[in-house]
Amino acid sequence: MNTGNKLSTANIVLLFSILILVVIVAVPVILIFITAFFENGKFNIAGIAKILSDPDTYQALLNSLIIAAGTTLVSTTVGTFFAWLVARTDLPLKKTMKALFLVPFMLPSFIGALAWKVLLSPRAGYINKLLMAIFGLSKAPIDILTIGGIIAIESMYLFPFVFLQVEGSLERMDPTLEESARISGANLFTITRKITLPLVMPSILAGALLVALYSLAHFGVPAILGTEKGIYNIPTKIYERIYASGGSFNAIRVGTILSTILVISAALILKLQDMLLKKGQYQIIAGKSMRPMVMKLRGLKIPLLIISILYIGITVILPTVTIFLVGGLKTYGLSFELKNMTWNNYLKIFQWKMTKDAIWNSLYLSLGAAFVTMLAGTMISYVIVKMKVRGKFILQFLGVLPFSLPGTVIALGVILTWSGRFGINLYNTPWIIFVAYIARYMAFSIKSNSASLSQVSDSLEEASRACGATHWQSLKNIVIPLIKPGMISAFFLIFLPALRELTTSVLLYGPTTRTIGVAIYALNEDGETVRAAALASIALVIIFAGETIIRKFLARLDQAKVKVQE
């Protein structure tokens, strides 16, 4: 292939990649800002000021900030503590505990919120009723339907962001400074407090900012625990405004103005995170094979293990078991006795049209979106990593942009783009959710495939083309087989989050296009707690089964890769 043809092929692939991201990502985001700031072709400063000065908007923004700040503080404290326990102490069963601390990643937080509402709601919570009976109380001692309750539940599911960041840094850090302090007579607690934690502070802050970003964008937990008491954050206020008006354009305009608050907040958080990661004060990873020293817990070993197990039991096992038990009740509110339980609730989930359709919709939308996004992300990643063409920075920017945007913002952009404005109306069809999933999860595919492609030497393609192979033949016979594990990883990284997604699809579903997350939320809102719990139980089974299959499949791929290398 001559240079002119190579350049032509590269430019065609580049332009096609840019076109995908512009249509799927850039246009929806641009339309959000145009709709928010312009009305009838004129800058709409008066309308913006009116909405932002609305007491409801102010309260929703204040609630968002309070929830994000509280969740960040609690998640950072919990995540850092458990990361230190796993990475730097002789805690028993460390590998098992590390795996258990990552379990909340698999669980949809809105299902956890539903479980805790069943346990601790002030009127009918099972734990509250038990405490009232034991201590003879006239009213429930715990009310989960508060801002504090929202913070507590969100923290249970977001602390792994901090745990992963800090645990990784602690595992890899250079032990020289700690060893020097120990030789100088400092005890291990002093070393941890004055040396270890300051060294990993950039990682702690990076994880904390990631928690803040996700908390600001959370819909499920605040919707389930807050709206009953009139507690709204920005995402739930957007949903309330749009659906209270029946999806009118004026309500969507209000939603876009509120969305700009989330976009600006996300941009500031990401910028701050980038500054922290680039301007870390210390280099904590050195070229030595020495491992950081491990603190001997001595008498605290068993108590801290018990605390860790109790934490997992309370935050993971208790709500999961509760969901399964409530899903099997004949009527909500009955005690968990065998005579009050039935299997029919679970069987009817596959017979009742709404829930049966929701399961089917989630499966084919998440599978389809994962497959298409994997392929598109592979092509875009190839341009970014392997092709020496101008304009690659556009792909990099557009590729990661959806990752930083709340799902509510992406949903509004998709509504504005695909509701007839350009002659294509996907509203109230599964296709609009499909497009939104591609936009939201494109960054996952690009990150996974870029990592795989960066490990493939350019010399392999060059040797193939020197032997007479075309560019496409080199890709098909050499590059794609080598990056297949990364492509498969990208597929599963998209499939599982899409399967349990709520924040985006709750604004996009129609009468026949509910997903599992939307159906659970709708059933709970309608007071169908038992049906909601039964569907949530089936969702958890699907998620756990999917996670197990994926881990085994990827493990086999890794083993096969090792054998090939040997």
Side-chain angles (χ1 to χ4, degrees), residues 97-246:
M97 296 312 301
K98 179 179 178 180
L100 289 175
F101 285 135
L102 297 179
V103 168
F105 265 140
M106 298 190 304
L107 303 175
S109 58
F110 68 91
I111 292 180
L114 177 62
W116 284 105
K117 183 179 180 181
V118 166
L119 290 170
L120 290 174
S121 67
R123 287 185 296 175
Y126 282 93
I127 291 178
N128 273 329
K129 288 195 294 186
L130 179 64
L131 293 174
M132 289 168 69
I134 292 174
F135 298 104
L137 303 174
S138 58
K139 65 177 184 178
I142 304 172
D143 185 359
I144 198 71
L145 308 180
T146 61
I147 286 182
I150 294 171
I151 290 171
I153 304 308
E154 283 197 358
S155 299
M156 291 179 186
Y157 295 91
L158 293 181
F159 88 90
F161 286 112
V162 180
F163 176 85
L164 274 174
Q165 294 266 3
V166 178
E167 195 270 341
S169 292
L170 288 171
E171 285 277 4
R172 300 190 307 270
M173 61 183 290
D174 178 11
T176 305
L177 290 174
E178 292 177 315
E179 290 289 348
S180 300
R182 186 177 63 81
I183 293 170
S184 299
N187 61 49
L188 291 178
F189 280 107
T190 302
I191 293 170
T192 299
R193 181 169 54 88
K194 292 191 173 183
I195 295 177
T196 308
L197 289 180
L199 283 173
V200 297
M201 190 56 67
S203 295
I204 294 173
L205 292 176
L209 289 172
L210 200 57
V211 170
L213 180 66
Y214 271 74
S215 182
L216 279 172
H218 252 190
F219 173 85
V221 176
I224 288 174
L225 299 181
T227 53
E228 186 176 322
K229 292 283 190 74
I231 301 171
Y232 293 91
N233 64 350
I234 293 295
T236 54
K237 178 55 68 175
I238 292 171
Y239 175 83
E240 188 262 345
R241 287 287 179 92
I242 291 176
Y243 276 87
S245 67

Side-chain angles (χ1 to χ4, degrees), residues 1-10 465 468-471:
M1 185 184 289
N2 60 43
T3 306
N5 288 336
K6 285 184 183 178
L7 184 61
S8 176
T9 302
R465 291 201 288 272
T470 64
H471 201 156

Side-chain angles (χ1 to χ4, degrees), residues 506-520:
V506 77
L507 286 175
L508 300 175
Y509 76 92
T512 61
T513 59
R514 289 183 176 90
T515 59
I516 290 176
V518 171
I520 293 169

